[in-house]
Amino acid sequence: ATTAAGAVAADDLVPVTVPANKFTLVGNAFPVAVTLNGPQMTCDGIKGADYDDASAFMATAPQIQVQSAGGYDTYYYLNDAYVEADGSTKPGWADDFGNYVEPSVKVGAGFWVKSADALTVQFNR
């Protein structure tokens, strides 16, 4: 389906292909904010990294960079992100310390995605 500038996609899912080892600028095709680890976005084919105390995961994990007032906030996809609320771990986007996060990307804002393996980012209605 073709989406013209300013148009809202008619489909329920809008996939964006992210090639391996390249930063790709993506944005939600629907006029809603996107919460990382939320229902508005999934990443098919994503291969997370395991957390380690030396922060080596920062060089190997898939990452998302979201523009902020001071530059960019970077999040990493981990197989075992730490969930502070209950002390467990689960797969998902994490901060520099390996903590599971749920930051929001504003309506109409894009963000950068990079992964060692190709993946598909899908935005949901």
Side-chain angles (χ1 to χ4, degrees):
T2 302
T3 303
V8 176
D11 299 329
D12 288 336
L13 296 174
V14 176
V16 178
T17 301
V18 175
N21 291 313
K22 294 184 187 255
F23 276 103
T24 302
L25 182 61
V26 300
N28 192 356
F30 303 109
V32 295
V34 172
T35 301
L36 299 187
N37 291 319
Q40 304 90 2
M41 182 185 85
T42 59
C43 296
D44 295 338
I46 195 164
K47 296 177 184 172
D50 293 333
Y51 175 80
D52 64 279
D53 289 332
S55 297
F57 69 88
M58 295 171 80
T60 60
Q63 62 178 272
I64 284 180
Q65 294 184 4
V66 180
Q67 191 170 19
S68 65
Y72 288 89
D73 293 328
T74 303
Y75 304 100
Y76 305 90
Y77 195 86
L78 299 179
N79 297 319
D80 54 354
Y82 178 72
V83 182
E84 187 173 344
D86 62 10
S88 66
T89 61
K90 66 180 177 179
W93 295 104
D95 62 14
D96 294 350
F97 303 103
N99 297 312
Y100 188 87
V101 294
E102 294 179 318
S104 185
V105 179
K106 296 177 185 176
V107 175
F111 51 91
W112 295 98
V113 179
K114 184 179 180 189
S115 174
D117 301 294
L119 59 93
T120 300
V121 176
Q122 288 202 96
F123 294 100
N124 309 295
R125 267 193 200 275

